[in-house]
């Protein structure tokens, strides 16, 4: 399994980014897929998930500003963030998770579940 995240960058607050996660070795449509992030000096936290049935969940900290989606034909997962805030600064990762991760009441807790695989991440830096 290989996951390659991209799309990060340095942007000003209020801007937008679309992160991508190209997967190989598995079909993302068959998995609970999620994005989590590691802010500098803080604990990793779950951001968003999309289940096999297409249902989506978001952490309270990003709800209303983030959209998770997938393109099954391209086997690619996306995360659109707008407007960006300085507190969104983090290393963002995508991962396939056990089904239970997509049923969490608080998706931020997804970071406590061991994913099936993990990529190198993509850095998002938001300046005020």
């Amino acid at each position: 399994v290989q996951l390659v995240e991209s799309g990060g960058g340095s942007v000003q607050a209020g801007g937008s980014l679309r992160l991508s996660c190209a997967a190989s070795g598995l079909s993302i449509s068959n998995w609970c897929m999620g994005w989590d992030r590691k802010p500098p000096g803080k604990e990793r936290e779950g951001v968003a998930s999309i289940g096999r049935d297409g249902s989506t969940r978001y952490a309270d900290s990003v709800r209303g500003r983030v959209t998770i989606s997938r393109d099954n034909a391209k086997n690619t997962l996306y995360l659109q963030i707008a407007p960006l805030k300085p507190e969104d600064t983090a290393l963002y990762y995508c991962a396939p998770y056990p089904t239970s991760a997509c049923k969490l009441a608080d998706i931020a807790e997804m970071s406590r579940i061991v994913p099936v695989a993990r990529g190198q991440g993509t850095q998002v830096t938001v300046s005020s």
Side-chain angles (χ1 to χ4, degrees):
V1 177
Q2 186 174 20
L3 302 161
V4 180
E5 299 95 339
S6 62
S10 296
V11 297
Q12 288 193 325
S16 65
L17 283 174
R18 188 177 80 155
L19 309 183
S20 299
C21 170
S24 59
L26 59 77
S27 294
I28 63 172
S29 60
N30 291 333
W31 288 87
C32 165
M33 295 297 297
W35 286 93
D36 66 1
R37 65 187 181 185
K38 178 69 171 65
K42 296 183 180 180
E43 296 287 325
R44 186 188 297 272
E45 63 176 355
V47 175
S49 69
I50 182 167
R52 294 175 61 183
D53 61 357
S55 59
T56 57
R57 295 196 178 195
Y58 300 97
D60 290 342
S61 59
V62 300
R63 187 173 291 112
R65 300 188 297 114
V66 165
T67 302
I68 186 172
S69 62
R70 67 187 181 207
D71 185 329
N72 293 337
K74 294 182 178 180
N75 211 31
T76 300
L77 186 72
Y78 301 100
L79 188 73
Q80 178 82 32
I81 314 173
L84 283 156
K85 299 180 177 181
E87 51 263 43
D88 294 322
T89 295
L91 192 57
Y92 285 73
Y93 301 87
C94 73
Y97 286 91
T99 302
S100 59
C102 278
K103 299 179 179 179
L104 291 169
D106 181 3
I107 206 64
E109 296 296 313
M110 185 173 64
S111 58
R112 299 181 182 275
I113 297 176
V114 178
V116 173
R118 191 182 289 285
Q120 294 300 308
T122 186
Q123 177 67 41
V124 172
T125 303
V126 185
S127 58
S128 57

